[in-house]
């Protein structure tokens, strides 16, 4: 019954996304209280409860056999269920319809990382879900925040680079563009680093120290990017990933100047953000609006306190080079900071979130609100101090990095299409999108299948409470005779597609050895 109901109703028929709290709605007649978010929101509550009830039952059932290992995924006949325990007893579940094609188009680990990304970004801007529920036990405030945030996440990024559509006809019209086999040479939740020389590294270090000294706070953290690549960071690994993801999609010069974004789950031709919000919450009648709220129905005091950092084209560059965003400015309330603020991981303290841009450089720095005297005026003084003392440094660093930059194809390796992942450092490097776009569908489907095998092995080792240091090598001959290869060792992963390789596996293995020795310091060599 639950699996059938998951496929019925309005919206995108093959997709459901819900967040629920197992600690709520325990009494008969109060079951709705456990629902914190549901998409599409216009589905009848009976259908929503059916999906959540099925998910809760699967979680409870799997815990019988594995009490210490949370349920991650369930494969049913027509749907795949992806689970993520975002916080203790607060679950996010995605239900996707299986493809009618013989080859699976989804990789469930990639879908789970979408859930992790949604939660991580929400916590960065709003704080943890549990802390918000403690402030408002009714859950009303959290529901309205989740509603706006996630619908913005799904709908706001509609303008995409033409490269994102090159030769691809997968999911059109208003359907959601979720990570599929087309994205097999990408790794969500990782950063991409810029390789720089020693002289440039010293200049960057000097710039970062100068900026942090201008803030006058020992708790200042900074992150520096060149175009869409990370140059340096003093944030924790988790905070670095979150800020990097947000910066690439909303802050870097390319996005600000063109309005393009690669972070879209709605394909070209979709409705606007406003109409998407309306369809997500306005079609369910008065009860739906009362439970989730539509933006127009939010009370005035609630509406003005809602920050919407994922809305498209909200960031703009001021004359002084600092980016501005009025999403944090409440109406008629000077007691709340109007400058952008965020929460860092494992911290309940709000931090001022400031971004400075000079040509291809983007600097993000945060300081605790409590450490800046005179609030907004004090932050303005800090920004002025940075402009007065660091402008020449910014110019010098940008010039050095630009001269050393090899362009968009800097990390292209002729004859190879690859993805290199370092799980310990949360970074990755891959062939440029323009090169990946030349791969055939058969190659990408084979790679997606191979990555699912690696995901399964990683999950098995993880549940056995062992560190994933097992060496693994898998080679697959695709239908188009391309070689698709995976090698993993000591927390590092290499995925490769060789479409013009010789017929023998020995030739393909030798090609991987050459790549490993030249570009990976021999980490993936079999010797």
């Amino acid at each position: 019954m639950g699996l059938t109901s998951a496929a019925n109703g309005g919206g995108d028929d093959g997709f459901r996304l819900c967040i629920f709290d197992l600690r709520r709605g325990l009494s008969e007649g109060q079951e709705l209280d456990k629902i914190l978010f549901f998409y599409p929101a216009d589905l009848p509550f009976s259908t929503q409860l059916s999906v959540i009830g099925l998910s809760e039952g699967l979680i409870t059932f799997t815990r019988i056999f594995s009490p210490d290992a949370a349920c991650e995924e369930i494969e049913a006949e027509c749907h795949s269920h992806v689970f993520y325990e975002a916080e203790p007893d607060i679950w996010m579940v995605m239900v996707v319809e299986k493809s009618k094609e013989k080859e699976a188009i989804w990789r469930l680990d990639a879908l789970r990382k979408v859930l992790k990304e949604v939660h991580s970004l929400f916590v960065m801007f709003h704080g943890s879900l549990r802390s918000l529920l403690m402030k408002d036990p009714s859950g009303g405030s959290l529901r309205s925040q989740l509603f706006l945030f996630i619908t913005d996440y799904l709908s706001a990024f509609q303008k995409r680079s033409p490269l994102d559509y090159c030769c691809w006809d997968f999911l059109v019209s208003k359907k959601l563009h979720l990570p599929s086999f087309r994205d097999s040479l990408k790794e969500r939740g990782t950063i991409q680093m810029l390789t720089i020389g020693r002289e440039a590294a010293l200049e960057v270090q000097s710039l970062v120290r100068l900026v942090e000294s201008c803030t006058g706070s020992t708790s200042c953290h900074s992150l520096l990017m060149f175009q869409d690549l990370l140059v340096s960071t003093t944030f924790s690994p988790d905070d670095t990933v979150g800020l990097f993801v947000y910066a690439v999609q909303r802050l870097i010069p390319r996005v600000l100047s063109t309005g393009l974004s690669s972070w879209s789950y709605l394909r070209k031709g979709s409705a606007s953000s406003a109409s998407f919000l309306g369809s997500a919450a306005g079609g369910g009648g008065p009860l739906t609006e009362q439970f989730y709220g539509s933006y127009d129905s939010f009370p005035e005091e609630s509406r003005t306190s809602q920050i919407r950092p994922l809305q498209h084209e909200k960031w703009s560059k001021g004359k002084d080079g600092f980016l501005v965003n009025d999403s944090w400015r409440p109406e008629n309330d000077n007691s709340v900071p109007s400058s952008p603020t965020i929460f860092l991981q494992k911290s309940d303290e709000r931090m001022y979130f400031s971004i400075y841009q000079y040509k291809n450089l983007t600097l993000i720095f945060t300081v605790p609100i409590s450490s800046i005297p005179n609030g907004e005026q004090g932050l303005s003084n800090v920004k002025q101090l940075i402009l007065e003392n660091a402008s020449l440094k910014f110019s010098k660093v940008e010039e050095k990095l630009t001269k050393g930059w090899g362009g968009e194809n800097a990390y292209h390796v002729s004859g190879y299409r690859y993805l290199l992942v370092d799980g310990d450092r949360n970074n990755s490097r891959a062939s440029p999108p323009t090169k990946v776009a030349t791969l055939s569908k058969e190659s990408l489907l084979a790679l997606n299948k191979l990555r699912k095998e690696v995901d399964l092995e990683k999950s098995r080792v993880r549940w056995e409470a062992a560190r994933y240091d097992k060496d693994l090598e898998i080679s697959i001959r695709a239908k188009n005779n391309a070689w698709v290869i995976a090698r993993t060792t000591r927390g590092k992963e290499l995925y490769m597609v060789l479409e013009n390789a010789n017929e023998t596996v020995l030739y393909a293995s030798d090609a991987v050895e050459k790549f490993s020795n030249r570009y990976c310091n021999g980490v993936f060599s079999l010797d």
Side-chain angles (χ1 to χ4, degrees), residues 459-490:
S459 177
R460 183 182 297 115
V461 173
R462 185 165 58 251
W463 296 145
E464 291 174 356
R467 176 169 160 45
Y468 186 62
D469 56 4
K470 179 181 178 180
D471 291 351
L472 179 68
E473 180 182 15
I474 305 176
S475 298
I476 296 178
R477 187 76 161 174
K479 293 179 180 179
N480 61 340
N481 291 325
W483 283 105
V484 182
I485 301 168
R487 288 189 184 180
T488 67
T489 180
R490 299 187 295 276

Side-chain angles (χ1 to χ4, degrees), residues 103-134:
E103 299 282 355
I105 60 175
W106 310 114
R107 188 167 61 86
L108 299 188
D109 188 66
L111 297 182
R112 188 177 305 104
K113 288 183 178 180
V114 172
L115 298 179
K116 291 181 179 179
E117 185 173 275
V118 171
H119 176 256
S120 175
L121 289 170
F122 182 88
V123 170
M124 184 167 71
F125 289 108
H126 293 281
S128 71
L129 305 183
R130 185 63 68 193
S131 66
L132 292 171
L133 285 173
M134 291 177 66

